[in-house]
Each structure stands twice: as structure tokens, then as C-alpha cells.
Amino acid sequence: MAFRTSAPLKEEIAERINWLGLIGRTENDGVTRLLYSESWMEAQSAIKKKMEEMGLSARFDDVGNVFGRVEGTEERDRVILTGSHIDTVVDGGKYDGAFGVLAAMIAVSRLQQEYGAPKKTIETVALCEEEGSRFHLAFWGSGSITGRYQLSDASKVTDGQDVTLEDAMHQLGFGQGAYPLARREDIACFLETHIEQGQILEHEHLAWAPVSHIVGMKRMIIRLSGESNHAGTTPMAGRRDALYAASQMISDVVGHAKMQNNGLVATVGQISIQPNVGNVIPGACTFALDVRHHEYDVLHDFCTKELENFRLIAEKEAVALDIKTWLDDAPVKMDPVMTQRHVDLARKAGIPFKKMVSGAGHDSQIFGVYCPTAMMFVPSHDGISHSPKEFTKIEDLATGVRMLMKILHEMAY
Ligand code: HGY
Ligand code: MN
Ligand code: MN
């Protein structure tokens, strides 16, 4: 029996956002769904079941992406793919990624209900991983579809408990041929709906934004090794204090980024020291550095200078320095023709909008170098994201779904 809903759109969106937000819910009402964790598996299985209830034919692929397909009556083989990622950061919000997954499902199921089968095949997708929150590897879902990653890459990265991505994948039955290969050649284009995760739209009282391009980014792991020793009996001269060296590097790189005044952002969001005991000089320190800019030359020059400065500090403090750049992506332009069509549709609908650069990374940057790709934002309240406080008004979520429906109707019906 074909799925039918008579629920008003806003009601359906709110219900599904809250429903998915309960999977991996944390004690302060955030969400944690790390790749191949229990809550991740629960969410992907629930999404697959929900897709089927909503009239889509759903399946896993071999890395754990979930697709919901509506076959076209004329053009079956080339697929219009729309969706986002199901994973989250630790204690994140219930809109980042999740809204794009659900918006796609709601839009496609409502289009089917209103207009029947499309002429062109549409698939919604819950991409298995985008954040890079558990492993120092991001975009595992979209990267496996587009060929950026091979299954063999999964053995090269471990999480904080020394579990490889490969073992974590195998433990859930993925990555061993039980499902269709992730790699696809049949995708005609990709469309992603996402929260802005910044405050521009809300500040300027706008409801929607087509994304012109996604910033370039470098994500690094900086490891320092000095010498642990007694806090009381070791003279200050000659200490090899890894945390003291790191504190100078972090202060410099963030301080220099503040002085750029050109949109460049630098963040140290993760740090660990060993042995992490109050009366022992830290012999080892590891921190994560995330730097982004919409022009690759600016990004690259800044990072080159800062890493040279790190080497000078390491030498001065007699600590060994190891730098691993695990993500290094140039800015990616969204498809101008698709984006212009979306602008025309928004203008015709009288929706207040502006074109924007995305300061956040997204699966669209992976699809954008592989097929025509377009991305669109709805506002984030106070620009907060990657936090339990993440929130978007239901009116804005509904605008996002309605725009996606207009776009898909124009492309596929
Ligand atoms: O980090 C980012 O920009 C994205 O949310 N993964
Ligand atoms: Mn996201
Ligand atoms: Mn995110």
C-alpha cells in the first residue's frame, strides 16, 4: 500500500527530526552517532525502515550508506541523488546532516504522493559518515561512492581505542561483500539540503541560501614528544615540556589567524597530553589543527608559515615534532547551472535568499568534483552548530523541504 500522509508538512518534519534526534541522544539533549557505533547502526536501520514506510525501496551498500529509491518511468539508469550524512560529532545537534537526510525522504515521498512516479529515477541517501569524529578520515560514505576511498583505506586509520575503521566496519557486517559495492557510476547529480551552521541568514532575516562553493580545508594532527619528569625536582632550564611547546604553537596559530582579517579560520579543538598528571612534566602532547579558507593559496601559504613556526618552537623546546595532514581539500565550486535554476525557483517563490560560501565542510565537496552538485542552506538559530543548542525554526525547515520539492519536481517530473 503506497505511503500516504495527510499530516501538514511542518508537523511531519518536526516529528521526524525529533524521532531521529532520539537515536544517540546524550544526557544534555545533544546527539552522538559515531560511525559504526551502536547508535549509528540503530539510526541507519531505522532510516532504512522509515524509507520503506514512506514508499521508497531502501537498501544498504557495503560501507553502510542507506539509499531510498523511486524508479523513473522514462530515465531509469541515471540517478538524481539527494541527501546528507547520518553521523554526528560528539554531543552534536539534531539537525546537522539529519535534516538533509529527512528533507530528502519527505520531499521524495510527498512528490510521489502528489504526482506519482517521476520520469527520472530519484534516490535519497543517508551517507554513513562525514564528520571525521571517530577516525582521522572524513567523508567515508560519499568518498566510497565517488572513488575517493577504497575499502583498503579502512585498515589505515584507528580510533581513540586503537580500533581500525576496517574492524569497526566488519563487526557490523559491512566491507565484506554482503551488500552492493559503494562505488557508483550511475549518479547524474547530487543535491544536499543542510543547516547553515552560521548566523548570516538569521542576522539578515533571510530564509534560504544556495551555496556557491565550499571552503578549502586542511585538518592535521600535531604530535610532540619531549620528556616526562618530576615537577618538583626538575629545574626549569633544560625541560623538554611537550605541553609548553604546544601551548606556544596553539597561541601563535590562533593568534595569527585572528590577525588575517580575510575570512581564514584556524581551530584547535582536540588535545591530549601524557601522562596527564599534575606533578609530572608532560612528555607528550597531541593536538588537532583545522584551518580553512575559500582560496587555496591563502590557506596553503598560512599553513606553510605556521608549520615552519612550529618547527622553530619544537627546536627551541627540544621536543620532537610530527605533523600528519589527514585532510587537504581545495575549495569546491557548486554547479553554477543547477544553482542558477534553484535561484530562479526561489525568486519565483518570493523566498528571501542570498548566495553563500560554506565555511563548513560537506559531502557536497566530495560529490562536487565527481558530478554536478548543488547545496542549499536553511538558517541556524544564533549560528550555533555542533552543539546540543543547535536549532532551526520549523518554518525555515519547511522552506528547505519545499524548495527541495520544487527543484526535484522540475528536474525529475
Ligand atoms: O567540520 C565541518 O565543517 C563539518 O561539519 N564536518
Ligand atoms: Mn554536516
Ligand atoms: Mn558537522
Side-chain angles (χ1 to χ4, degrees), residues 85 87-89 96-97 130-131 133 194 197 360-362 385-386 390:
H85 58 96
D87 69 314
T88 69
V89 294
D96 177 2
E130 180 269 350
E131 295 286 1
S133 298
H194 204 284
Q197 299 180 293
H362 298 286
S385 182
H386 283 185
E390 197 176 81

Coordinates of all heavy atoms in Angstrom, one line a residue, residues 85 87-89 96-97 130-131 133 194 197 360-362 385-386 390, ligand 3:
H85 N 24.4 13.4 5.6 CA 25.1 12.4 6.4 C 24.3 12.1 7.7 O 23.6 12.9 8.3 CB 26.5 12.8 6.8 CG 26.5 14.1 7.5 ND1 26.6 14.2 8.9 CD2 26.5 15.4 7.1 CE1 26.7 15.5 9.3 NE2 26.6 16.2 8.2
D87 N 25.8 10.6 10.5 CA 26.7 10.6 11.7 C 26.7 12.0 12.2 O 26.3 13.0 11.6 CB 28.1 10.1 11.3 CG 28.9 11.1 10.4 OD1 28.2 11.6 9.4 OD2 30.0 11.5 10.7
T88 N 27.2 12.1 13.5 CA 27.3 13.5 14.1 C 28.7 13.6 14.8 O 29.5 12.7 14.9 CB 26.3 13.6 15.3 OG1 26.6 12.7 16.3 CG2 24.9 13.2 14.8
V89 N 29.0 14.8 15.3 CA 30.1 15.0 16.1 C 29.7 14.4 17.5 O 28.6 14.0 17.7 CB 30.5 16.5 16.3 CG1 31.0 17.0 14.9 CG2 29.4 17.3 16.8
D96 N 22.3 18.9 12.0 CA 23.4 18.8 11.1 C 23.4 17.4 10.5 O 23.6 16.4 11.2 CB 24.7 19.0 12.0 CG 26.0 18.8 11.2 OD1 25.9 18.6 10.0 OD2 27.1 18.9 11.8
G97 N 23.3 17.3 9.2 CA 23.2 16.1 8.4 C 21.8 15.5 8.5 O 21.2 15.3 7.4
E130 N 30.5 11.6 7.6 CA 31.0 12.9 7.0 C 31.9 13.6 8.0 O 32.9 14.2 7.6 CB 29.8 13.8 6.7 CG 30.1 15.1 6.0 CD 30.3 16.2 7.1 OE1 30.0 16.0 8.2 OE2 30.8 17.2 6.6
E131 N 31.7 13.5 9.3 CA 32.4 14.4 10.2 C 33.8 14.1 10.5 O 34.6 15.0 10.9 CB 31.6 14.3 11.6 CG 30.2 14.7 11.6 CD 30.0 16.2 11.5 OE1 31.1 16.9 11.5 OE2 28.9 16.7 11.5
S133 N 34.7 12.3 13.0 CA 34.7 12.5 14.5 C 35.3 11.3 15.2 O 35.7 11.4 16.3 CB 33.2 12.6 15.0 OG 32.7 13.8 14.5
H194 N 21.0 21.5 3.9 CA 21.7 21.4 5.2 C 21.4 22.7 6.0 O 21.0 23.7 5.4 CB 23.2 21.4 4.9 CG 24.1 20.8 5.9 ND1 24.4 21.4 7.1 CD2 24.6 19.5 6.1 CE1 25.2 20.7 7.8 NE2 25.3 19.5 7.3
Q197 N 24.7 26.5 9.8 CA 25.7 26.3 10.8 C 26.5 27.7 11.1 O 27.5 27.7 11.7 CB 26.7 25.2 10.5 CG 26.1 23.8 10.4 CD 27.0 22.7 10.0 OE1 27.6 22.7 9.0 NE2 27.2 21.8 10.9
A360 N 31.6 25.5 6.4 CA 31.6 24.2 6.9 C 31.9 23.2 5.8 O 31.5 23.5 4.6 CB 30.3 23.8 7.6
G361 N 32.5 22.1 6.1 CA 32.7 21.1 5.1 C 31.5 20.2 4.9 O 30.7 20.2 5.8
H362 N 31.3 19.7 3.7 CA 30.0 18.9 3.5 C 30.3 17.8 2.4 O 31.3 17.9 1.7 CB 28.9 19.7 2.9 CG 28.5 20.8 3.9 ND1 27.7 20.6 5.0 CD2 28.7 22.2 3.9 CE1 27.5 21.7 5.6 NE2 28.1 22.7 5.0
S385 N 26.1 25.5 16.0 CA 26.0 24.1 15.4 C 27.1 23.3 16.1 O 27.9 23.8 16.9 CB 26.2 24.1 13.9 OG 26.1 22.8 13.4
H386 N 27.1 21.9 15.9 CA 28.0 21.0 16.6 C 27.8 21.2 18.1 O 28.8 21.2 18.8 CB 29.4 21.3 16.2 CG 29.8 20.7 14.8 ND1 31.0 20.7 14.3 CD2 29.0 20.1 13.9 CE1 31.0 20.1 13.1 NE2 29.7 19.8 12.8
E390 N 22.0 23.5 18.9 CA 21.7 23.6 17.5 C 20.2 23.7 17.3 O 19.5 22.8 17.8 CB 22.3 22.4 16.8 CG 22.4 22.5 15.3 CD 23.1 21.2 14.7 OE1 22.4 20.2 14.6 OE2 24.3 21.2 14.6
Ligands
MN3 MN 29.0 18.8 11.0

